[in-house]
Amino acid sequence: MPDSTLLIQLLAIILFAVCLYHSWNTEGARAAQQWFITGYIFALLLISLLVVTQQIAFNPAMLFFGAAPSLTIMLLPAVIYLAYTIARQFAEPTNLRTMTFLTFLLTPALMLPIDATALNLDWWSYPTESTSFLDGIPFYAPFAWGVIGAAFFLLIGRIRKIRFRGNGQIFAMIIAVPVLAALLIGVIAVVQILVYGISSIGGEAAMYIALALIFIALPVLFVFRTDRRPLTTKD
Amino acid sequence: MMNLPLADFALLTVLMTFIVLLALDVLSGAPSILFLAFLPAIVWGIVIALKGRRNHA
């Protein structure tokens, strides 16, 4: 199979640029800088930690900065931004609870085709002994992507609610991001243990039920959600 | 009433990205089970069509 790593790096740069441009035009320069500067640093730290802890392995043909592929990781802030933008169709960005829940559901739905194609074309792989589906995606991966997306949104959303002077918000985000990345490594480990526990007790069938829950049941239930509380309510 | 914001930035971007991924998968002769990975995105497409109501993005 010919090396197609150039394609995913190009796709990552294009997605990052398009999302940055959109954010700049719709939310303003400050919000765009906050999301994408912080997002890139977050992705660099988190993916470096995941590579070092051997949770994910990237094709060495990519351009690397330390342990993380410096261009491919641009996918992460772009995909979470897309999830955030789609979530904004349903709720106010200041409604942290609903937005975090939606980002948790949307991020893995967007990442799953990217993951599947990445494994198929050897862009990256998951060198884990966990049980997997779709030819190599570990069952915990969609939950981990959901937690990563939701946590990053929550960080940005929460700090945006604090009234700092000048560039205080972005400085706060940059300070908080390494803490979040380190924290997420722990959370991902817990998610792995939980998923491993569920698959040990219920077998693969239980894992497919769990996947159906986040990929089908919860989004469908969201359609039938009765508006007992207006979505514009601020937390 | 159906609400399908076709001109929406995020949906168009996701659609274009997935078309590229699909084309790569088809060209590389990916196993057919791999295409199930696109199912959650289709579910969300239906959800947005039925429920999306704040089309300002």
Side-chain angles (χ1 to χ4, degrees), chain B residues 27-51:
Chain B
L27 289 173
S28 68
S32 51
I33 193 155
L34 185 144
F35 296 98
L36 282 177
F38 292 85
L39 185 68
I42 295 170
V43 172
W44 272 104
I46 296 166
V47 171
I48 291 164
L50 295 173
K51 178 103 176 164

Side-chain angles (χ1 to χ4, degrees), chain A:
Chain A
M1 190 186 298
D3 178 25
S4 57
T5 49
L6 186 68
L7 280 173
I8 183 62
Q9 293 178 95
L10 196 64
L11 187 69
I13 295 170
I14 292 171
L15 267 183
F16 188 90
V18 165
C19 291
L20 174 65
Y21 179 77
H22 178 263
S23 176
W24 201 288
N25 280 322
T26 54
E27 295 184 300
R30 177 179 285 196
Q33 288 161 10
Q34 284 177 352
W35 189 281
F36 289 95
I37 292 174
T38 316
Y40 186 79
I41 297 169
F42 173 69
L44 193 65
L45 292 171
L46 182 68
I47 299 295
S48 295
L49 288 171
L50 289 174
V51 171
V52 169
T53 52
Q54 297 182 2
Q55 299 306 307
I56 193 165
F58 288 89
N59 190 320
M62 291 176 183
L63 191 64
F64 274 80
F65 179 79
S70 47
L71 300 178
T72 311
I73 56 163
M74 286 183 174
L75 272 177
L76 194 57
V79 167
I80 303 174
Y81 178 76
L82 287 173
Y84 159 73
T85 308
I86 295 171
R88 275 168 53 196
Q89 294 215 351
F90 304 105
E92 289 286 345
T94 48
N95 183 353
L96 294 186
R97 193 182 304 172
T98 310
M99 286 292 288
T100 305
F101 174 67
L102 287 169
T103 315
F104 171 76
L105 291 182
L106 278 159
T107 309
L110 298 177
M111 276 307 293
L112 191 63
I114 301 176
D115 262 344
T117 309
L119 287 163
N120 178 40
L121 296 173
D122 198 24
W123 294 336
W124 62 80
S125 61
Y126 294 96
T128 166
E129 291 174 5
S130 305
T131 47
S132 57
F133 67 107
L134 292 180
D135 272 346
I137 302 174
F139 278 111
Y140 75 83
F143 300 93
W145 285 129
V147 169
I148 290 168
F152 180 71
F153 164 73
L154 197 57
L155 173 95
I156 299 278
R158 185 67 193 84
I159 292 178
R160 276 180 182 168
K161 284 193 168 187
I162 306 170
R163 289 183 184 173
F164 283 116
R165 284 185 172 195
N167 291 323
Q169 285 186 346
I170 195 168
F171 292 147
M173 287 170 190
I174 290 170
I175 291 166
V177 148
V179 178
L180 183 71
L183 193 67
L184 276 174
I185 292 294
V187 174
I188 291 168
V190 172
V191 168
Q192 276 191 28
I193 293 165
L194 281 176
V195 168
Y196 180 74
I198 294 169
S199 67
S200 303
I201 296 165
E204 280 196 13
M207 285 324 305
Y208 281 111
I209 291 169
L211 286 182
L213 191 72
I214 63 162
F215 284 139
I216 299 170
L218 287 175
V220 169
L221 281 175
F222 186 72
V223 175
F224 299 107
R225 180 185 186 275
T226 50
D227 288 334
R228 271 175 264 124
R229 192 171 64 108
L231 287 171
T232 49
T233 302
K234 291 182 181 179
D235 284 338

